[in-house]
Amino acid sequence: MKSLHDFLGELTGLLEEAGVPYMVTGSIASTFYGRPRATQDVDLVVDPNAQSLARFVRSAAARAYYVDDQEARDALERRSMFNIIDTDSGYKLDVIVRKDRPYSVQEFARRRATTVSGVRAYVVSPEDAILSKLEWAREGGSERQFLDALGIASIQGPDLDLPYLRRWAAELDVSELLERLLREGDCADSR
């Protein structure tokens, strides 16, 4: 049976072959920058056009992954998400179409090429991983999302771009959560 890392590598390879820009986010990114935690899914933000998305979906379906072509097209139109599932392993890919707002454009532009889980891939920046987790925490009231963000801040603290974090936290209405995180994460110069 394939590993989650194999699953990630296969799908990022298919995205690159199809010409779909992407970045790894979610639990894989927060584990990469912060504290490890188990996950059975992969979250990717993508910025495709209709043709590159269609190529990606066809390639995934040809590899026997479950993917609904209509859901993918709807997600592109609504700038929402769809799933790809490996029916053998149960691994799931949440494919999130990049939102059309200034922060999301900036976040995507800041992605980094690196090696994550043994796979060469584009990954969200640590600051943007924090902001995303805080946004999810605010929307869903999830302490798990906050703890993921806290893990990143605790590990990356001295290297974080605090002016960038504070600027976008204000825009995303997560400033209170960010300041709590900076205090609890004992981040240098969090004043």
Side-chain angles (χ1 to χ4, degrees):
M1 186 162 92
K2 78 176 69 163
S3 70
L4 184 64
H5 310 297
D6 295 335
F7 180 64
L8 173 65
E10 256 182 41
L11 288 165
T12 56
L14 293 177
L15 284 162
E16 289 175 5
E17 288 171 14
V20 177
Y22 71 90
M23 68 180 178
V24 178
T25 63
S27 299
I28 290 179
S30 65
T31 294
F32 179 71
Y33 290 122
R35 295 191 177 110
R37 92 165 155 97
T39 186
Q40 291 295 310
D41 69 343
V42 175
D43 298 318
L44 296 177
V45 172
V46 298
D47 191 18
N49 59 38
Q51 296 78 22
S52 63
L53 182 63
R55 283 192 300 272
F56 171 62
V57 168
R58 279 193 307 273
S59 295
R63 296 266 179 116
Y65 289 118
Y66 170 79
V67 58
D68 185 305
D69 181 57
Q70 186 59 52
E71 284 181 19
R73 287 194 307 264
D74 290 347
L76 179 60
E77 184 179 315
R78 290 189 317 267
R79 302 197 85 73
S80 60
M81 67 175 272
F82 67 98
N83 301 116
I84 295 179
I85 299 169
D86 181 345
T87 54
D88 290 334
S89 67
Y91 294 133
K92 180 177 65 132
L93 172 66
D94 291 333
V95 184
I96 306 156
V97 177
R98 183 189 53 77
K99 293 178 183 175
D100 192 20
R101 60 182 181 167
Y103 168 69
S104 296
V105 171
Q106 180 70 28
E107 172 192 35
F108 202 79
R110 289 170 43 92
R111 66 195 170 119
R112 301 172 174 189
T114 190
T115 301
V116 59
S117 299
V119 175
R120 193 83 182 132
Y122 289 95
V123 181
V124 65
S125 75
E127 293 86 1
D128 294 310
I130 288 171
L131 290 167
S132 176
K133 290 287 185 177
L134 293 179
E135 200 171 21
W136 279 104
R138 186 201 70 226
E139 290 173 10
S142 169
E143 190 67 11
R144 175 76 260 165
Q145 300 295 332
F146 181 82
L147 291 174
D148 283 348
L150 182 59
I152 298 167
S154 296
I155 302 296
Q156 302 293 319
D159 298 323
L160 291 172
D161 182 343
L162 293 179
Y164 177 87
L165 277 167
R166 286 187 168 117
R167 172 184 174 222
W168 287 108
E171 289 280 327
L172 299 171
D173 193 27
V174 295
S175 292
E176 284 184 33
L177 284 171
L178 176 64
E179 294 309 320
R180 175 184 158 207
L181 176 124
L182 294 174
R183 283 189 310 276
E184 291 181 22
D186 198 28
C187 294
D189 195 34
S190 62
R191 294 178 248 86

